[in-house]
C-alpha cells in the first residue's frame, strides 16, 4: 500500500501544478483585460470601414475616422435615369456619416460583454465586433424630396391616339408611350446606396403605354 501511495504522489503533484498554472494564467488574462479596459487604447485588430484603428488612442481614432468621413462625404453620388444624370455629395441627399458613433463602437470592443468574450478580444486577434462599417444616417424625407424633383424632370405622360378634324379634313394623332419614375423604389435605391460605397445609382423607370 505504501508503494502505491508513493507512486500516486508524483501524479498528484503534476496535476496540482497544472491546475495552479491554469489558475495563474486565467488570473493574468483577467488582470490584463481589466487593465486594458481602464486604458484609452482601441483593442487590437479593430478595423472600421477598412481603416485599421487597433492600438490607437480614442483621440487618434476619432481624428482618423473624422478625416475618412470627410473624404467619404465629399465623394460624388450620381443618380441616373434614362439618359439624364443628377450629381451631388452625401449632404446634398440628406445623408450624414456618423463617425462619432463608430469611434464609440470601436472603443467598446474588449470593454463590454462578459469577461470571456472580453479576454478573447483583448488577448487574441479573434473576437466579435472587431470589423464593422461606419454607419450613415439618412434623412428619408430629404431623399424623397430629391427623388420627387428627379421625377418631375423624368416623367412624361403617355398620349392616347385620337382623331381630329381640321377644315373638314380628318387627322389621326398618333399615340405616344409615356415614362414614369417609380418613386418608392427610387427612394429605397438611393437610401441603400448612401449607406454603402455605391456611387452610381440607376433609378427605376417604367413605360406607360397608351390606353388607346
Amino acid at each position: 500500500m505504501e508503494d502505491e501511495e508513493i507512486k500516486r504522489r508524483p501524479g498528484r503533484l503534476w496535476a496540482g501544478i497544472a491546475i495552479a498554472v491554469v489558475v495563474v494564467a486565467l488570473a493574468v488574462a483577467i488582470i490584463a483585460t481589466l487593465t486594458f479596459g481602464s486604458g484609452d487604447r482601441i483593442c487590437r485588430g479593430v478595423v472600421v470601414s477598412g481603416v485599421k484603428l487597433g492600438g490607437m488612442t480614442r483621440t487618434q481614432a476619432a481624428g482618423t475616422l473624422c478625416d475618412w468621413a470627410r473624404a467619404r462625404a465629399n465623394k460624388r453620388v450620381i443618380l441616373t435615369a434614362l439618359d439624364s444624370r443628377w450629381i451631388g455629395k452625401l449632404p446634398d441627399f440628406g445623408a450624414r456619416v456618423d463617425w462619432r458613433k463608430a469611434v464609440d463602437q470601436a472603443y467598446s470592443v474588449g470593454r463590454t460583454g462578459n469577461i470571456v468574450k472580453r479576454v478573447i478580444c483583448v488577448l487574441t486577434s479573434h473576437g466579435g465586433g472587431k470589423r464593422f462599417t461606419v454607419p450613415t444616417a439618412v434623412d428619408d424625407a430629404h431623399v424623397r424630396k430629391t427623388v420627387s424633383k428627379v421625377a418631375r424632370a423624368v416623367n412624361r405622360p403617355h398620349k392616347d391616339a385620337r382623331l381630329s378634324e381640321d377644315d373638314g379634313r380628318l387627322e389621326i394623332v398618333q399615340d405616344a408611350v409615356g415614362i414614369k419614375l417609380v418613386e418608392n423604389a427610387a427612394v429605397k435605391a438611393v437610401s441603400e446606396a448612401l449607406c454603402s460605397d455605391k456611387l452610381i445609382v440607376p433609378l427605376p423607370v417604367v413605360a406607360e403605354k397608351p390606353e388607346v
Side-chain angles (χ1 to χ4, degrees), residues 82-94:
L82 300 178
D83 295 330
S84 300
R85 301 196 311 169
W86 293 263
I87 301 174
K89 298 177 181 179
L90 259 64
D92 299 327
F93 296 105

Side-chain angles (χ1 to χ4, degrees), residues 134-191:
V134 179
T136 300
V138 178
D139 184 346
D140 290 335
H142 195 130
V143 173
R144 186 168 292 279
K145 184 178 179 180
T146 300
V147 169
S148 295
K149 291 180 180 178
V150 174
R152 288 195 292 271
V154 171
N155 291 352
R156 186 172 68 241
H158 68 268
K159 294 181 180 179
D160 295 329
R162 60 187 178 84
L163 297 175
S164 66
E165 185 178 355
D166 185 16
D167 292 335
R169 290 180 301 176
L170 192 62
E171 294 183 354
I172 300 176
V173 178
Q174 296 292 332
D175 59 5
V177 176
I179 299 295
K180 184 177 182 181
L181 182 72
V182 186
E183 293 194 36
N184 287 337
V187 169
K188 181 179 179 181
V190 173
S191 297

Side-chain angles (χ1 to χ4, degrees), residues 16-203:
I17 293 174
I19 292 173
V21 169
V22 171
V23 170
V24 170
L26 287 175
V28 170
I30 292 173
I31 291 172
T33 300
L34 295 177
T35 301
F36 165 80
S38 63
D40 191 39
R41 297 281 176 178
I42 303 293
C43 187
R44 66 172 179 165
V46 173
V47 179
V48 182
S49 292
V51 181
K52 295 180 180 180
L53 300 181
M56 292 186 181
T57 65
R58 187 179 185 126
T59 301
Q60 290 170 336
T64 299
L65 282 191
C66 180
D67 291 341
W68 179 91
R70 187 179 295 111
R72 172 76 177 90
N74 284 328
K75 287 185 178 180
R76 298 192 309 169
V77 177
I78 303 173
L79 309 184
T80 65
L82 300 178
D83 295 330
S84 300
R85 301 196 311 169
W86 293 263
I87 301 174
K89 298 177 181 179
L90 259 64
D92 299 327
F93 296 105
R96 176 177 56 85
V97 182
D98 197 351
W99 60 269
R100 290 183 177 85
K101 184 176 180 179
V103 172
D104 291 340
Q105 186 176 341
Y107 186 75
S108 71
V109 176
R111 292 181 169 84
T112 57
N114 63 58
I115 190 63
V116 175
K117 291 182 178 179
R118 291 174 62 187
V119 168
I120 293 173
C121 282
V122 172
L123 300 183
T124 74
S125 59
H126 303 288
K130 285 192 172 183
R131 289 180 175 270
F132 60 93
T133 57
V134 179
T136 300
V138 178
D139 184 346
D140 290 335
H142 195 130
V143 173
R144 186 168 292 279
K145 184 178 179 180
T146 300
V147 169
S148 295
K149 291 180 180 178
V150 174
R152 288 195 292 271
V154 171
N155 291 352
R156 186 172 68 241
H158 68 268
K159 294 181 180 179
D160 295 329
R162 60 187 178 84
L163 297 175
S164 66
E165 185 178 355
D166 185 16
D167 292 335
R169 290 180 301 176
L170 192 62
E171 294 183 354
I172 300 176
V173 178
Q174 296 292 332
D175 59 5
V177 176
I179 299 295
K180 184 177 182 181
L181 182 72
V182 186
E183 293 194 36
N184 287 337
V187 169
K188 181 179 179 181
V190 173
S191 297
E192 290 178 350
L194 294 175
C195 292
S196 69
D197 291 330
K198 190 175 182 181
L199 299 178
I200 300 178
V201 190
L203 301 181

